[in-house]
Amino acid sequence: MKHNKVGSVMTTDVVRAEYGTTFKKVARLLAEHDISGLPVVDEDEHVIGVVSETDLMMRQAQTPDPFEPPARVRFAALRPGARRRAAKSSARTAGRLMTEPAVTVHADDTIVAAARTMAQRHVERLPVLDEEDRLVGIVTRRDLLRVFLRPDAEIRQEVLREVLERALWLPPASVDVSVTEGVVTLSGDMERKSETEIAVSMTRQIDGVVAVVDKLTHRLDDSRLPAADGQSLHGVADDWLRRL
Protein backbone atom coordinates (compact mmCIF):
# COMPACT_ATOMS: atom_id res chain seq x y z
CA MET A 1 0.00 0.00 0.00
CA LYS A 2 1.50 3.30 -1.10
CA HIS A 3 0.79 6.38 0.98
CA ASN A 4 0.93 9.84 -0.53
CA LYS A 5 4.24 11.52 0.17
CA VAL A 6 4.85 14.88 1.81
CA GLY A 7 6.48 16.06 -1.40
CA SER A 8 3.14 15.79 -3.20
CA VAL A 9 1.42 18.37 -0.96
CA MET A 10 4.23 20.65 0.24
CA THR A 11 4.77 24.24 -0.84
CA THR A 12 8.07 24.58 -2.70
CA ASP A 13 8.29 28.39 -2.71
CA VAL A 14 9.42 28.70 0.90
CA VAL A 15 9.68 32.02 2.70
CA ARG A 16 12.82 31.73 4.80
CA ALA A 17 15.24 33.73 6.92
CA GLU A 18 18.95 33.51 7.64
CA TYR A 19 20.66 33.68 11.01
CA GLY A 20 21.39 37.39 10.64
CA THR A 21 17.98 38.44 9.28
CA THR A 22 16.80 41.34 11.42
CA PHE A 23 13.82 41.22 13.75
CA LYS A 24 11.97 43.82 11.70
CA LYS A 25 12.53 41.96 8.43
CA VAL A 26 11.27 38.71 9.95
CA ALA A 27 8.13 40.50 11.10
CA ARG A 28 7.72 42.01 7.63
CA LEU A 29 8.08 38.61 5.93
CA LEU A 30 5.42 37.08 8.16
CA ALA A 31 3.02 39.96 7.51
CA GLU A 32 3.61 40.24 3.76
CA HIS A 33 3.15 36.52 3.13
CA ASP A 34 0.37 36.07 5.70
CA ILE A 35 2.17 33.21 7.46
CA SER A 36 2.69 32.45 11.14
CA GLY A 37 6.22 31.09 10.98
CA LEU A 38 9.24 30.44 8.78
CA PRO A 39 12.41 28.33 8.78
CA VAL A 40 15.86 29.74 9.41
CA VAL A 41 18.61 28.33 7.17
CA ASP A 42 22.39 28.45 7.01
CA GLU A 43 24.47 29.12 3.91
CA ASP A 44 24.00 25.51 2.73
CA GLU A 45 20.20 25.63 2.99
CA HIS A 46 20.20 23.43 6.08
CA VAL A 47 17.42 24.29 8.52
CA ILE A 48 18.84 25.46 11.84
CA GLY A 49 15.64 26.64 13.49
CA VAL A 50 12.15 28.07 13.09
CA VAL A 51 10.82 31.53 13.93
CA SER A 52 7.13 31.91 14.71
CA GLU A 53 4.83 34.77 15.62
CA THR A 54 5.05 33.51 19.19
CA ASP A 55 8.81 34.08 19.19
CA LEU A 56 8.33 37.66 18.03
CA MET A 57 5.57 38.28 20.54
CA MET A 58 7.91 37.12 23.28
CA ARG A 59 9.86 40.36 22.86
CA GLN A 60 6.75 42.48 23.29
CA ALA A 61 5.50 40.41 26.23
CA GLN A 62 8.80 40.65 28.06
CA THR A 63 9.13 44.42 27.63
CA PRO A 64 8.87 45.95 31.13
CA ASP A 65 6.06 48.33 31.93
CA PRO A 66 7.63 51.71 32.82
CA PHE A 67 4.87 52.36 35.33
CA GLU A 68 5.22 49.02 37.08
CA PRO A 69 7.53 48.81 40.10
CA PRO A 70 10.61 46.60 39.56
CA ALA A 71 9.97 42.97 40.41
CA ARG A 72 11.98 41.18 43.03
CA VAL A 73 14.49 38.59 41.91
CA ARG A 74 12.87 35.18 41.88
CA PHE A 75 14.31 31.72 41.49
CA ALA A 76 11.86 31.11 38.62
CA ALA A 77 13.82 33.58 36.52
CA LEU A 78 16.85 31.30 36.74
CA ARG A 79 15.11 28.33 35.11
CA PRO A 80 16.10 27.37 31.53
CA GLY A 81 12.71 28.33 30.10
CA ALA A 82 12.83 31.73 31.73
CA ARG A 83 16.37 32.32 30.48
CA ARG A 84 15.31 31.45 26.92
CA ARG A 85 12.38 33.84 27.11
CA ALA A 86 14.63 36.56 28.46
CA ALA A 87 17.11 36.02 25.63
CA LYS A 88 14.35 36.24 23.01
CA SER A 89 12.99 39.41 24.58
CA SER A 90 16.20 41.20 23.62
CA ALA A 91 16.89 39.35 20.35
CA ARG A 92 17.50 41.42 17.24
CA THR A 93 18.04 38.67 14.66
CA ALA A 94 16.31 35.50 13.46
CA GLY A 95 19.17 33.42 14.84
CA ARG A 96 18.54 34.70 18.35
CA LEU A 97 14.76 34.56 18.03
CA MET A 98 14.42 31.08 16.55
CA THR A 99 13.39 27.90 18.29
CA GLU A 100 15.91 25.11 17.82
CA PRO A 101 16.36 22.38 16.82
CA ALA A 102 13.69 22.58 14.15
CA VAL A 103 11.16 19.77 13.82
CA THR A 104 11.37 18.63 10.18
CA VAL A 105 10.25 15.92 7.76
CA HIS A 106 11.59 14.61 4.49
CA ALA A 107 9.87 14.89 1.12
CA ASP A 108 9.71 11.08 0.90
CA ASP A 109 7.97 10.72 4.28
CA THR A 110 4.30 9.78 4.16
CA ILE A 111 1.54 12.25 4.91
CA VAL A 112 0.50 9.98 7.78
CA ALA A 113 3.99 10.21 9.34
CA ALA A 114 4.05 13.99 8.93
CA ALA A 115 0.62 14.35 10.55
CA ARG A 116 1.75 12.18 13.45
CA THR A 117 4.87 14.32 13.92
CA MET A 118 2.80 17.51 13.95
CA ALA A 119 0.42 16.11 16.55
CA GLN A 120 3.17 14.74 18.79
CA ARG A 121 5.35 17.87 18.64
CA HIS A 122 2.46 20.36 18.72
CA VAL A 123 3.59 22.33 15.66
CA GLU A 124 1.58 23.83 12.82
CA ARG A 125 4.18 23.60 10.04
CA LEU A 126 7.15 21.44 9.14
CA PRO A 127 10.14 22.37 6.97
CA VAL A 128 10.61 19.66 4.33
CA LEU A 129 14.10 18.36 3.55
CA ASP A 130 15.60 16.44 0.65
CA GLU A 131 17.89 13.41 0.93
CA GLU A 132 20.80 15.72 1.76
CA ASP A 133 18.81 17.47 4.52
CA ARG A 134 18.47 20.71 2.55
CA LEU A 135 15.29 22.77 2.61
CA VAL A 136 13.04 22.03 -0.38
CA GLY A 137 9.60 22.95 0.90
CA ILE A 138 7.26 23.46 3.81
CA VAL A 139 4.08 21.62 4.76
CA THR A 140 1.28 22.90 6.98
CA ARG A 141 -1.67 21.28 8.69
CA ARG A 142 -3.89 22.59 5.90
CA ASP A 143 -1.68 20.88 3.31
CA LEU A 144 -1.95 17.55 5.11
CA LEU A 145 -5.72 17.84 5.34
CA ARG A 146 -5.94 17.84 1.54
CA VAL A 147 -5.70 14.06 1.68
CA PHE A 148 -9.25 13.98 3.05
CA LEU A 149 -10.49 15.56 -0.18
CA ARG A 150 -9.95 12.28 -2.04
CA PRO A 151 -13.12 11.13 -3.83
CA ASP A 152 -14.97 8.23 -2.23
CA ALA A 153 -14.74 6.23 -5.46
CA GLU A 154 -10.95 6.55 -5.46
CA ILE A 155 -10.72 5.35 -1.86
CA ARG A 156 -12.98 2.39 -2.64
CA GLN A 157 -10.83 1.32 -5.57
CA GLU A 158 -7.72 1.40 -3.38
CA VAL A 159 -9.40 -0.81 -0.76
CA LEU A 160 -10.36 -3.33 -3.42
CA ARG A 161 -6.97 -3.31 -5.11
CA GLU A 162 -4.50 -2.96 -2.24
CA VAL A 163 -6.32 -4.65 0.64
CA LEU A 164 -8.45 -7.38 -0.89
CA GLU A 165 -6.58 -8.32 -4.06
CA ARG A 166 -2.94 -7.58 -3.30
CA ALA A 167 -2.74 -8.23 0.46
CA LEU A 168 -5.36 -10.90 1.06
CA TRP A 169 -5.49 -12.48 -2.42
CA LEU A 170 -9.25 -12.30 -2.44
CA PRO A 171 -11.60 -11.50 -5.33
CA PRO A 172 -13.06 -7.98 -4.92
CA ALA A 173 -16.60 -9.39 -4.89
CA SER A 174 -15.87 -11.39 -1.72
CA VAL A 175 -16.29 -8.29 0.46
CA ASP A 176 -18.75 -5.47 0.01
CA VAL A 177 -16.91 -2.14 0.18
CA SER A 178 -18.84 1.12 0.36
CA VAL A 179 -17.45 4.60 1.03
CA THR A 180 -19.48 7.63 2.09
CA GLU A 181 -17.78 10.92 2.99
CA GLY A 182 -14.54 9.05 3.64
CA VAL A 183 -16.15 6.48 5.96
CA VAL A 184 -15.48 2.95 4.67
CA THR A 185 -17.91 0.15 5.47
CA LEU A 186 -16.69 -3.43 5.06
CA SER A 187 -19.35 -6.14 4.93
CA GLY A 188 -19.20 -9.84 4.19
CA ASP A 189 -18.26 -13.28 5.46
CA MET A 190 -14.54 -14.12 5.41
CA GLU A 191 -12.79 -17.40 6.07
CA ARG A 192 -10.67 -16.42 9.09
CA LYS A 193 -10.78 -13.87 11.87
CA SER A 194 -7.19 -12.82 11.13
CA GLU A 195 -8.25 -11.84 7.61
CA THR A 196 -10.97 -9.55 8.92
CA GLU A 197 -8.49 -7.89 11.30
CA ILE A 198 -6.02 -7.29 8.49
CA ALA A 199 -8.72 -5.93 6.19
CA VAL A 200 -9.88 -3.41 8.79
CA SER A 201 -6.37 -2.42 9.88
CA MET A 202 -5.07 -1.87 6.36
CA THR A 203 -8.18 0.07 5.33
CA ARG A 204 -7.69 2.46 8.25
CA GLN A 205 -4.19 3.23 6.92
CA ILE A 206 -5.37 4.33 3.48
CA ASP A 207 -4.98 8.03 2.80
CA GLY A 208 -8.27 9.90 3.05
CA VAL A 209 -10.09 7.32 5.18
CA VAL A 210 -11.96 9.06 7.99
CA ALA A 211 -13.19 5.90 9.73
CA VAL A 212 -13.89 2.20 9.12
CA VAL A 213 -17.17 0.49 9.96
CA ASP A 214 -16.46 -3.21 10.51
CA LYS A 215 -19.38 -5.45 9.56
CA LEU A 216 -17.21 -8.43 8.64
CA THR A 217 -17.87 -11.90 9.96
CA HIS A 218 -15.65 -15.00 9.91
CA ARG A 219 -16.12 -18.75 9.79
CA LEU A 220 -12.96 -19.70 11.70
CA ASP A 221 -11.46 -18.01 14.76
CA ASP A 222 -7.77 -18.67 14.17
CA SER A 223 -6.51 -16.19 16.77
CA ARG A 224 -5.48 -19.00 19.16
CA LEU A 225 -4.61 -21.70 16.67
CA PRO A 226 -0.97 -22.53 15.85
CA ALA A 227 -0.07 -21.83 12.25
CA ALA A 228 0.07 -24.99 10.17
CA ASP A 229 2.04 -25.55 6.99
CA GLY A 230 0.17 -24.12 4.07
CA GLN A 231 -2.34 -22.33 6.30
CA SER A 232 -0.60 -19.01 6.77
CA LEU A 233 -1.42 -15.89 4.80
CA HIS A 234 0.89 -14.96 1.98
CA GLY A 235 2.40 -11.85 0.44
CA VAL A 236 1.92 -8.44 2.05
CA ALA A 237 -0.56 -9.89 4.55
CA ASP A 238 2.20 -11.84 6.33
CA ASP A 239 3.76 -8.66 7.69
CA TRP A 240 0.42 -7.18 8.68
CA LEU A 241 -0.61 -10.33 10.52
CA ARG A 242 2.57 -10.21 12.62
CA ARG A 243 1.83 -6.62 13.65
CA LEU A 244 -1.67 -7.36 14.97
Side-chain angles (χ1 to χ4, degrees):
M1 194 163 50
K2 296 180 179 179
H3 291 291
N4 289 333
K5 305 296 184 180
V6 171
S8 68
V9 297
M10 71 182 184
T11 298
T12 55
D13 185 15
V14 186
V15 181
R16 69 199 73 189
E18 298 178 348
Y19 190 93
T21 301
T22 64
F23 180 103
K24 191 169 184 177
K25 185 173 182 179
V26 171
R28 188 182 301 118
L29 286 171
L30 295 180
E32 289 178 350
H33 296 277
D34 192 24
I35 54 179
S36 59
L38 52 78
V40 182
V41 299
D42 62 15
E43 61 275 8
D44 296 317
E45 289 296 297
H46 293 139
V47 179
I48 56 177
V50 173
V51 175
S52 68
E53 290 175 329
T54 302
D55 295 321
L56 271 67
M57 291 297 293
M58 193 72 69
R59 180 186 178 92
Q60 188 70 20
Q62 295 293 324
T63 302
D65 185 343
F67 301 101
E68 183 179 342
R72 297 180 179 179
V73 177
R74 298 177 180 175
F75 289 110
L78 302 178
R79 295 174 181 171
R83 290 199 296 268
R84 286 193 296 270
R85 289 191 293 271
K88 288 186 178 184
S89 69
S90 60
R92 298 181 180 180
T93 65
R96 298 292 302 277
L97 281 166
M98 68 183 184
T99 298
E100 55 179 329
V103 182
T104 62
V105 292
H106 285 81
D108 286 337
D109 289 342
T110 66
I111 290 176
V112 172
R116 186 177 298 115
T117 298
M118 278 191 181
Q120 292 174 343
R121 303 300 296 272
H122 305 289
V123 295
E124 297 182 359
R125 74 199 63 79
L126 294 168
V128 184
L129 313 180
D130 62 13
E131 60 276 4
E132 297 181 0
D133 289 337
R134 294 175 302 192
L135 180 67
V136 293
I138 196 159
V139 65
T140 66
R141 290 182 179 180
R142 181 175 298 178
D143 295 327
L144 298 184
L145 287 175
R146 290 181 195 170
V147 70
F148 292 106
L149 300 179
R150 291 186 72 188
D152 289 342
E154 185 178 307
I155 295 174
R156 181 177 183 276
Q157 285 303 313
E158 185 167 347
V159 174
L160 296 174
R161 182 181 65 254
E162 299 295 333
V163 179
L164 299 183
E165 294 183 9
R166 183 168 178 265
L168 295 173
W169 293 7
L170 296 174
S174 62
V175 173
D176 180 55
V177 180
S178 62
V179 186
T180 304
E181 295 294 314
V183 178
V184 181
T185 300
L186 303 176
S187 306
D189 189 24
M190 304 183 75
E191 181 65 29
R192 288 171 287 188
K193 180 181 180 181
S194 58
E195 291 178 328
T196 67
E197 293 172 340
I198 291 172
V200 171
S201 181
M202 291 190 73
T203 300
R204 285 197 182 107
Q205 302 302 315
I206 290 177
D207 292 337
V209 171
V210 176
V212 178
V213 178
D214 179 10
K215 294 185 177 180
L216 296 171
T217 59
H218 55 273
R219 289 183 286 274
L220 173 65
D221 184 354
D222 58 346
S223 59
R224 298 183 180 181
L225 297 177
D229 293 341
Q231 296 295 318
S232 61
L233 296 174
H234 302 285
V236 177
D238 287 328
D239 293 333
W240 278 88
L241 184 57
R242 284 192 288 268
R243 297 177 194 173
L244 297 176

